[in-house]
């Protein structure tokens, strides 16, 4: 049987990749993809904890996180389309109209 | 499953109202939508009445996901009042938004509904779902003026930082769940009894606090605040300042006091350091700002630092002080932002330069800004002073003298940059001295908000007794 720590390490690696993607990538579409990675890493650890603790709550939680993450990214893409229509760009560093 | 529908009757009223506005918007011909805002205001007043009538029914329902107690009733009244002010401001602001649709009012009510659910969440699942409900409505509202590029930019920045913060929060919740085997606050409290402080618990604790710092705009997730406050439509900026911050603090109070209260020795230093850094950053960065909304954003970060002092104190005095601070903050923000909206409608500018000599052009707007900004700064005898006094007393009582010293110093810094604006309003000559028209209803509303701020400062007794009494249920 695979021990809990393996799942947690996998989840941590995906989480770190996601955080790095959000902080370092310049293309907003890739930033949104990295956010999805973060949410999926959380699902892995929630299900792993749920299995090893013999409790249903974690599995229940995953259903909510998947739904909510989908709603969040849908709104994110809609806002990105609005930004693209305004600025004709999807790069983070070109969004700097408000400096003082 | 036990369902006691009376406990969430006010929420049902607000949800029904929001959907009714959406439907009424479809039926109305193109053009003015102000009557929908009035419908929303009347409906919110009905919801407050329903809430007060059902306030004595307390306890948990929906399998422990939903709790009704004194704290949730207080915050729900606060959120409904915020909603009323914001709806009023939004109908004043309506002409400034191109292609305005009635859904704007419905979304504001959905945001209020989400905050009401947050005030009642008793489990990390309901906390997370209502948090995201609030966040998604606010993302849409922040970029509602799609034609202005600052507004969409603000929306996108808000969304990316918000999603990142909720990811961090969820990862923390996962570890708390792993350490305690439950997501319900009272169960977590039971599970922590007599348990050693483990690594899982430490990771969970740190990440949950960092994730929640987004909603209250404190360090380290504060970077969105200045841009979003500046770019969002002004009524939404007020909603973020008064509503979203209060929602963040009710969550923090429930998580830190109810769920994690027994391990306070492990988190008190962490929260105190965040509080001190937030105080220093917010108040020092506010000084050079030239846009009034941006300045209020930094001042809001500073306020989050003060409110975190109450969390760090971790006693009844501290949590009562947080509630009182949020009450005075609501009135200061409502007055200030209503004045900003009226000024913007007449002058089309939010820059502090434009406010030069305002007292000669509109004494009532100048007086409102005077009272509102000085209450935010914490000058006696206004409401904000009493609130800050209680927060500082709460941390002194717990022996965190250094934090109290930072708080007092930063109150002086806040006074400095707010007084600069007030000096400009009262002592400088205006470039053109045409009076600014303020309608009688607006005048009456501004007067009553100012009187409320004064009453909270001069005669705070009944209000502080009330919040101190209900703060006990958290522990």
């Amino acid at each position: 049987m695979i021990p809990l720590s393996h799942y947690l390490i996998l989840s941590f690696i995906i989480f770190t990749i996601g955080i790095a993607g959000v902080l370092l990538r310049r293309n907003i579409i890739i930033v949104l993809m990295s956010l999805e990675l973060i949410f999926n890493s959380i699902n892995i650890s929630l299900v792993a904890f749920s299995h090893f603790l013999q409790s249903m709550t974690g599995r229940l939680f995953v259903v909510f996180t998947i739904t909510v993450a989908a709603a969040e990214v849908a709104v994110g893409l809609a806002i990105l389309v609005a930004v693209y229509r305004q600025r004709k760009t999807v790069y983070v560093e070109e969004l700097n109209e408000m400096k003082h | 499953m036990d369902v006691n529908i009376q406990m969430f009757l006010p929420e049902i009223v607000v949800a029904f109202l929001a959907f009714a506005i959406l439907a009424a918007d479809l039926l109305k011909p193109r053009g003015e939508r102000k009557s929908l805002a009035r419908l929303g205001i009347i409906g919110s007043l009905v919801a407050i009445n329903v809430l007060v009538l059902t306030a004595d029914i307390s306890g948990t329902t929906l399998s422990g996901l939903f709790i009704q107690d004194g704290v949730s009733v207080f915050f729900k009244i606060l959120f409904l009042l915020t909603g009323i002010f914001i709806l009023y401001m939004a109908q004043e602001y309506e002409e400034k938004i191109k292609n305005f649709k009635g859904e704007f009012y419905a979304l504001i009510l959905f945001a209020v509904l989400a905050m009401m659910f947050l005030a009642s969440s008793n489990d990390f699942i309901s906390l997370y779902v209502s948090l995201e409900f609030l966040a998604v409505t606010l993302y849409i509202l922040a970029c509602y003026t799609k034609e202005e590029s600052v507004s969409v930019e603000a929306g996108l920045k808000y969304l990316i930082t918000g999603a990142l913060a909720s990811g961090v929060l969820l990862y923390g919740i996962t570890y708390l769940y792993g350490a305690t085997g439950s997501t319900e606050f009272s169960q977590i409290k039971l599970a922590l009894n007599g348990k050693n402080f483990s690594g899982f618990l430490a990771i969970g604790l740190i990440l949950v606090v960092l994730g929640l710092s987004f909603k209250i705009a404190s360090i380290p997730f504060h970077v969105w605040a200045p841009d979003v406050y500046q770019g969002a439509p002004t009524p939404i900026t007020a909603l973020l300042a008064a509503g979203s911050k209060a929602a963040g603090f009710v969550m923090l109070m429930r998580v830190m006091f109810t769920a994690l209260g027994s391990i306070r020795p492990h988190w008190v230093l962490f929260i105190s350091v965040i509080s001190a850094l937030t105080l220093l950053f917010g108040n020092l960065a506010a000084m050079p700002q030239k846009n009034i909304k941006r300045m209020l954003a930094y001042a809001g970060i500073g306020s989050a630092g003060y409110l975190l002092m109450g969390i760090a104190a971790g006693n009844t005095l501290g949590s009562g002080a947080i509630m009182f601070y949020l009450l005075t903050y609501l009135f200061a923000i409502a007055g200030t932002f209503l004045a900003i909206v009226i000024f913007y409608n007449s002058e089309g500018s939010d820059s502090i330069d434009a406010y030069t000599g305002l007292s000669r052009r509109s004494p009532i707007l100048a007086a409102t800004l005077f009272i509102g900004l000085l209450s935010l700064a914490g000058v006696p005898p206004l409401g904000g002073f009493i609130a800050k006094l209680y927060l500082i007393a709460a941390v002194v009582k717990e022996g965190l003298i250094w934090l109290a010293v930072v708080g007092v110093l930063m109150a002086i810094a806040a006074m400095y940059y707010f007084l600069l604006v007030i000096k400009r309003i009262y002592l400088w000559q205006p470039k053109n001295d045409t009076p600014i028209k303020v309608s009688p209803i607006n005048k009456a509303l501004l007067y009553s908000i100012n009187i409320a701020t004064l009453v909270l400062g001069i005669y705070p007794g009944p209000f502080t007794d009330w919040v101190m009494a209900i703060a006990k249920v958290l522990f």
Side-chain angles (χ1 to χ4, degrees):
Chain A
M1 196 170 123
I2 307 171
L4 177 63
S5 56
H6 285 49
Y7 290 102
L8 294 184
I9 291 166
L10 173 69
S11 146
F12 177 72
I13 291 170
I14 300 177
F15 184 76
T16 319
I17 294 172
I19 294 275
V22 173
L23 297 178
L24 303 176
R25 295 306 292 254
R26 299 158 52 237
N27 189 324
I28 296 166
I29 294 175
I30 296 185
V31 169
L32 289 177
M33 283 160 60
S34 309
L35 286 173
E36 281 299 295
L37 269 186
I38 295 178
F39 287 112
N40 284 327
S41 77
I42 290 157
N43 291 342
I44 292 172
S45 55
L46 269 178
V47 173
F49 274 128
S50 164
H51 179 74
F52 282 90
L53 290 169
Q54 298 292 317
S55 115
M56 273 307 284
T57 322
R59 262 163 271 190
L60 207 101
F61 210 146
V62 169
V63 180
F64 285 103
T65 56
I66 291 173
T67 321
V68 168
E72 197 155 23
V73 168
V75 172
L77 284 173
I79 296 176
L80 184 58
V81 169
V83 170
Y84 185 74
R85 282 192 185 147
Q86 284 279 332
R87 306 276 183 88
K88 303 285 175 230
T89 178
V90 288
Y91 289 98
V92 179
E93 74 269 12
E94 286 168 48
L95 298 177
N96 53 1
E97 209 164 280
M98 287 177 287
K99 286 276 177 272
H100 308 296
Chain B
M1 195 170 83
D2 55 321
V3 178
N4 187 350
I5 211 156
Q6 280 173 309
M7 281 190 200
F8 45 94
L9 216 52
E11 278 86 349
I12 293 174
V13 171
V14 176
F16 185 77
L17 187 66
F19 283 116
I21 287 178
L22 274 182
D25 182 43
L26 290 175
L27 298 177
K28 273 186 70 131
R30 289 178 73 87
E32 259 210 349
R33 287 284 181 273
K34 288 194 196 303
S35 58
L36 296 180
R38 278 174 221 136
L39 175 66
I41 291 172
I42 294 167
S44 305
L45 288 172
V46 171
I48 291 182
N49 273 320
V50 173
L51 181 60
V52 172
L53 288 176
T54 57
D56 51 337
I57 307 165
S58 56
T60 60
T61 184
L62 298 177
S63 310
L65 287 175
F66 189 95
I67 188 169
Q68 182 82 311
D69 55 18
V71 174
S72 69
V73 169
F74 172 84
F75 274 98
K76 282 177 193 176
I77 293 175
L78 192 76
F79 294 144
L80 283 166
L81 276 178
T82 316
I84 291 170
F85 286 130
I86 305 300
L87 283 170
Y88 185 80
M89 267 181 235
Q91 58 102 25
E92 287 289 305
Y93 197 77
E94 199 181 286
E95 289 81 14
K96 299 288 158 195
I97 301 176
K98 249 189 247 166
N99 296 324
F100 186 88
K101 292 189 188 72
E103 65 186 16
F104 192 70
Y105 300 130
L107 280 168
I108 291 174
L109 281 170
F110 278 126
V112 171
L113 176 64
M115 292 192 279
M116 288 168 73
F117 274 121
L118 261 184
S120 272
S121 57
N122 188 38
D123 187 300
F124 274 120
I125 297 179
S126 53
L127 180 128
Y128 174 68
V129 174
S130 22
L131 177 74
E132 289 297 307
F133 179 19
L134 174 62
V136 170
T137 45
L138 288 178
Y139 300 150
I140 300 169
L141 285 170
C143 62
Y144 200 80
T145 44
K146 292 194 286 296
E147 295 75 23
E148 279 178 38
S149 58
V150 285
S151 182
V152 285
E153 182 183 324
L156 191 65
K157 283 178 178 169
Y158 191 34
L159 183 124
I160 290 173
T161 35
L164 182 64
S166 68
V168 172
L169 170 70
L170 257 184
Y171 202 62
I173 292 174
T174 308
Y175 275 87
L176 284 184
Y177 169 61
T180 59
S182 176
T183 54
E184 196 185 326
F185 297 158
S186 49
Q187 303 269 336
I188 291 177
K189 189 180 183 178
L190 281 180
L192 286 176
N193 252 345
K195 210 175 178 188
N196 284 332
F197 191 68
S198 63
F200 277 7
L201 214 50
I203 298 172
L205 179 64
I206 291 171
L207 292 180
V208 164
V209 171
L210 294 187
L212 288 178
S213 75
F214 167 75
K215 267 275 160 283
I216 60 173
S218 77
I219 282 182
F221 279 112
H222 62 283
V223 278
W224 59 275
D227 283 351
V228 176
Y229 274 50
Q230 186 184 348
T234 312
I236 303 311
T237 311
L239 179 62
L240 288 171
S244 175
K245 185 159 295 193
F249 273 97
V250 65
M251 282 191 293
L252 260 179
M253 277 157 69
R254 289 218 189 272
V255 173
M256 302 314 280
F257 297 160
T258 308
L260 305 174
S262 57
I263 51 168
R264 181 175 172 273
H266 295 281
W267 53 255
V268 62
L269 187 66
F270 181 52
I271 298 274
S272 311
V273 169
I274 291 184
S275 163
L277 288 176
T278 311
L279 275 170
L280 286 168
F281 174 81
N283 286 306
L284 296 180
M287 287 179 185
Q289 299 307 323
K290 299 194 170 54
N291 179 301
I292 190 143
K293 279 159 79 181
R294 207 176 171 86
M295 190 189 84
L296 284 167
Y298 283 107
I301 297 174
S303 289
Y306 277 108
L307 288 159
L308 277 173
M309 284 165 67
I311 301 282
N315 49 20
T316 321
L317 185 61
S319 43
I322 289 175
M323 286 188 257
F324 187 71
Y325 192 108
L326 288 169
L327 190 65
T328 63
Y329 196 69
L330 167 64
F331 284 105
I333 287 287
T336 312
F337 275 89
L338 186 56
I340 291 175
V341 166
I342 295 169
F343 184 80
Y344 183 82
N345 281 346
S346 146
E347 306 294 302
S349 170
D350 281 331
S351 79
I352 294 174
D353 280 342
Y355 283 81
T356 307
L358 183 66
S359 68
R360 288 179 183 75
R361 305 180 59 193
S362 169
I364 172 72
L365 288 187
T368 307
L369 286 173
F370 182 79
I371 292 181
L373 295 181
L374 287 188
S375 177
L376 288 179
V379 175
L382 300 166
F385 168 72
I386 308 284
K388 280 188 184 174
L389 197 69
Y390 271 109
L391 282 170
I392 288 168
V395 287
V396 168
K397 196 177 162 196
E398 295 298 316
L400 293 161
I401 309 290
W402 62 275
L403 190 57
V405 171
V406 176
V408 171
L409 286 177
M410 286 304 117
I412 298 167
M415 231 170 273
Y416 166 74
Y417 58 79
F418 281 130
L419 280 174
L420 281 186
V421 179
I422 285 160
K423 187 175 105 188
R424 194 176 271 278
I425 288 173
Y426 274 92
L427 300 180
W428 290 24
Q429 289 293 331
K431 288 189 190 85
N432 69 344
D433 45 7
T434 44
I436 297 172
K437 278 202 195 79
V438 184
S439 71
I441 300 178
N442 281 341
K443 254 186 199 159
L445 195 61
L446 289 174
Y447 275 122
S448 37
I449 292 171
N450 290 342
I451 289 170
T453 305
L454 277 169
V455 167
L456 285 173
I458 295 167
Y459 188 57
F463 301 99
T464 49
D465 288 349
W466 180 38
V467 292
M468 293 303 166
I470 58 178
K472 286 194 185 81
V473 303
L474 284 166
F475 297 93

